[in-house]
Amino acid sequence: MKKINNGSSAPPRLDIQQSWWAMNGIGNGVREWITEEKVEKIAEAGFTGINGFLPPQEKQEEWHNLLEKYQLSFSICAYPWNREELSTLLKQAQDFGVQHVNSQVMDSFVIGEEAVQLLKELTEEAERFGTTHFVETHRGRITQDLLRTVDYVKAIPNLSLTIDFSHYVVSGEMVGDIFRAEPFFNELLQRCGCIHGRVSNGEQVQVDIGPNGEHPMLNRFKGWWKQGMENWLMDAKVGDIFPFVCELGPPGYAITKNSYSKGNMEEISDRWEQSLLLKRIAEEQWAECVQGLAE
């Protein structure tokens, strides 16, 4: 499984990235922060990277300057339907200098051998460019179904995943009988190259986990995140980097106090504070993994 490597002699490290999508609407309570304010706040909070989208050509110099100024890594999301689409994006990503490409592969109606062939082609294309490429476990995409995705992983030995089990928990309404999914989750966690951090309760894809992580589903997710990190660390080498993206979306991912029809989009959570909590949790899980391997 291909890992991100910066060519240094540093020990394998965690790269905590903040989702740029998660910064939609975030500000000081009076107005939304502008681009540089958001980047500055991300860096000040101790994040080491941003996960976003490839900037349009006219914005690329600005983004290069901001990433250099605040010393942040940068990864991007993609939504390829075929090899040609990914190839075009990979060339643009390579020119920009992104850390990795995270693909939500389209779409959920592509199944069986057709899905395996497409995933093989995308993996081959990323290898041709020398770009680290992860396929995300996501609803409404080729990886929508947990059991089918396990089959894809078995069929493609070099397929690397971004793990986001919030999608499987909510789509399968997994709560009381979640133990039945564990063997399949374990199969996917063997290919974990990146994690997108979000907690689902089996009914909503994104829940408030409380100011100190009191939500009962958090321990489940912490266990999966830690297992993915441990699996990744088992054969990690110097210079290798493991990205954990805090990915709390705006409404309608975020639950609001009133309905859309009433025109009130006030969220039940402080999304920025929840992102900081996810960051702290990921750092704690990573530290436990590293300590465990050292003992």
Side-chain angles (χ1 to χ4, degrees), residues 1 3 6 33 38 50-51 68 82-83 100 156 158 163 173 176 180 185-187 194 197 233 237 279 291:
M1 185 178 74
K3 291 181 169 66
N6 64 7
W33 291 326
K38 290 180 180 180
I50 292 173
N51 171 257
E68 183 177 357
N82 52 53
R83 184 176 197 147
H100 74 267
I156 309 170
N158 55 343
I163 295 294
E173 290 191 312
R180 297 182 65 187
F185 283 162
N186 288 337
E187 289 275 357
C194 174
L233 279 164
K237 299 177 174 57
K279 172 182 174 293
Q291 180 63 32

Side-chain angles (χ1 to χ4, degrees), residues 198-201 204-218 248 253-255 257 267-271 273-275 277-278:
R198 183 193 302 115
V199 174
S200 165
N201 65 356
Q204 290 86 23
V205 70
Q206 177 176 304
V207 297
D208 186 322
I209 60 174
N212 296 296
E214 297 89 351
H215 196 285
M217 281 298 292
L218 178 60
L248 298 178
Y253 263 65
I255 302 171
K257 294 181 180 179
E267 299 173 40
I268 64 168
S269 302
D270 184 323
R271 193 163 14 108
E273 289 298 323
Q274 288 276 290
S275 295
L277 177 56
L278 283 180

Side-chain angles (χ1 to χ4, degrees), residues 161-200:
L161 300 176
T162 290
I163 295 294
D164 184 348
F165 286 160
S166 68
H167 296 287
Y168 292 150
V169 171
V170 72
S171 65
E173 290 191 312
M174 297 179 187
V175 184
D177 62 348
I178 202 166
F179 67 94
R180 297 182 65 187
E182 293 289 357
F184 305 104
F185 283 162
N186 288 337
E187 289 275 357
L188 300 187
L189 287 167
Q190 296 293 326
R191 302 292 185 85
C192 179
C194 174
I195 290 171
H196 282 191
R198 183 193 302 115
V199 174
S200 165

Side-chain angles (χ1 to χ4, degrees), residues 132-179:
T132 305
H133 175 253
F134 304 124
V135 171
E136 184 176 352
T137 59
H138 201 292
R139 294 167 301 147
R141 308 294 186 255
I142 205 170
T143 52
Q144 170 170 285
D145 182 85
L146 170 62
L147 303 185
R148 292 204 306 254
T149 303
V150 169
D151 288 341
Y152 303 154
V153 163
K154 290 179 177 178
I156 309 170
N158 55 343
L159 182 64
S160 301
L161 300 176
T162 290
I163 295 294
D164 184 348
F165 286 160
S166 68
H167 296 287
Y168 292 150
V169 171
V170 72
S171 65
E173 290 191 312
M174 297 179 187
V175 184
D177 62 348
I178 202 166
F179 67 94

Side-chain angles (χ1 to χ4, degrees), residues 44-60:
E44 284 180 351
F47 290 97
T48 50
I50 292 173
N51 171 257
F53 302 94
L54 195 68
Q57 192 65 42
E58 66 273 14
K59 295 281 188 180
Q60 291 197 1

Side-chain angles (χ1 to χ4, degrees), residues 61-106:
E61 183 177 0
E62 175 190 7
W63 270 93
H64 274 301
N65 291 339
L66 288 172
L67 293 168
E68 183 177 357
K69 178 178 179 179
Y70 293 101
Q71 293 297 289
L72 296 168
S73 64
F74 187 66
S75 62
I76 64 169
C77 296
Y79 305 88
W81 287 86
N82 52 53
R83 184 176 197 147
E84 293 71 28
E85 282 190 6
L86 183 65
S87 182
T88 298
L89 183 73
L90 289 172
K91 176 63 170 66
Q92 295 168 344
Q94 190 177 69
D95 291 343
F96 186 85
V98 305
Q99 181 200 70
H100 74 267
V101 174
N102 176 76
S103 281
Q104 295 180 21
V105 181
M106 307 301 287

